[in-house]
């Protein structure tokens, strides 16, 4: 049996027999992703984790492999730093994205393996599956879904689930 995969199409993301509306990066899909470009990287990526806010989401509604987001958790986007494109608990000023946000966008996150684990400086970091602000509102490069669909993905994906982002034509 082939494991389920998320496939980006022109009309949404196909996953587990459903077509889910998605928001992608404000700069579209690119094959030459760079840090801070606002683009979603084309390619075949894999889910590497499931992180959640334990003060907002009960652990029992998620798979056992989900891990809580601690108040000091950050994702390093300081190109060239040893922690670049990794979860860290170190502060880097504006070069470490706080995972505990005031808004609900990162209440539930599935990080992808883009430029991970051996991050190449400048190739981009923090490509997540997370909650959207609203339908059609672009991300900084991530794949974003409504909360209901995000929970569906979290409950049915597993570590290693493929996320296919095809290159789009001109």
């Amino acid at each position: 049996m082939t494991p389920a995969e998320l496939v980006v199409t022109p009309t949404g993301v196909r996953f587990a027999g459903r077509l889910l509306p998605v928001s992608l990066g404000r700069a579209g899909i690119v094959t030459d992703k760079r840090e801070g470009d606002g683009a979603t990287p084309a390619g075949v990526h894999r889910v590497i984790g499931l992180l959640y806010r334990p003060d907002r989401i009960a652990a029992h509604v998620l798979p056992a492999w989900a891990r809580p987001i601690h108040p000091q958790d950050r994702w390093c986007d300081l190109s060239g730093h040893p922690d670049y494109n990794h979860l860290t608990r170190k502060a880097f000023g504006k070069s470490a994205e706080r995972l505990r946000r005031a808004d609900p966008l990162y209440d539930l996150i599935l990080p992808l393996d883009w430029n991970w684990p051996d991050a190449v400086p400048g190739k981009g970091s923090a490509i997540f599956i997370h909650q959207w602000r609203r339908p059609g509102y672009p991300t900084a490069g991530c794949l974003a879904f409504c909360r209901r669909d995000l929970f569906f993905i979290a409950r049915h994906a597993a570590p290693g689930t493929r996320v296919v982002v095809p290159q789009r034509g001109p």
Side-chain angles (χ1 to χ4, degrees):
M1 178 177 176
T2 303
E5 63 183 12
L6 289 94
V7 179
V8 175
T9 74
T11 56
V13 167
R14 291 201 176 284
F15 178 65
R18 297 184 183 187
L19 182 62
L20 309 173
V22 66
S23 291
L24 301 174
R26 66 182 174 276
I29 297 172
V30 299
T31 57
D32 59 346
K33 173 83 180 134
R34 307 308 277 155
E35 185 68 46
D37 65 2
T40 301
V44 177
H45 316 295
R46 296 194 184 276
V47 171
I48 60 169
L50 175 57
L51 305 171
Y52 70 98
R53 289 278 304 260
D55 57 323
R56 296 181 178 171
I57 299 170
H60 74 273
V61 303
L62 297 171
W65 60 281
R67 297 292 170 249
I69 297 170
H70 299 284
Q72 65 275 30
D73 284 350
R74 292 164 171 77
W75 201 270
C76 178
D77 60 6
L78 182 58
S79 185
H81 190 279
D83 290 327
Y84 179 54
N85 201 26
H86 285 80
L87 178 66
T88 182
R89 292 198 170 142
K90 299 174 189 169
F92 297 97
K94 292 183 179 181
S95 289
E97 188 170 9
R98 292 185 65 91
L99 299 185
R100 282 250 181 156
R101 297 171 55 124
D103 64 28
L105 269 60
Y106 285 3
D107 285 1
L108 188 62
I109 307 169
L110 290 101
L112 302 182
D113 68 351
W114 170 257
N115 198 23
W116 181 94
D118 300 317
V120 174
K123 288 292 285 180
S125 63
I127 302 300
F128 298 150
I129 294 173
H130 65 76
Q131 186 173 321
W132 65 24
R133 290 184 190 280
R134 62 181 176 274
Y137 192 90
T139 70
C142 298
L143 289 81
F145 296 87
C146 72
R147 194 170 183 94
R148 181 191 72 243
D149 291 345
L150 181 60
F151 271 85
F152 176 78
I153 292 168
R155 288 181 183 121
H156 293 89
T161 296
R162 290 167 32 111
V163 179
V164 180
V165 182
Q167 179 180 351
R168 296 217 173 137

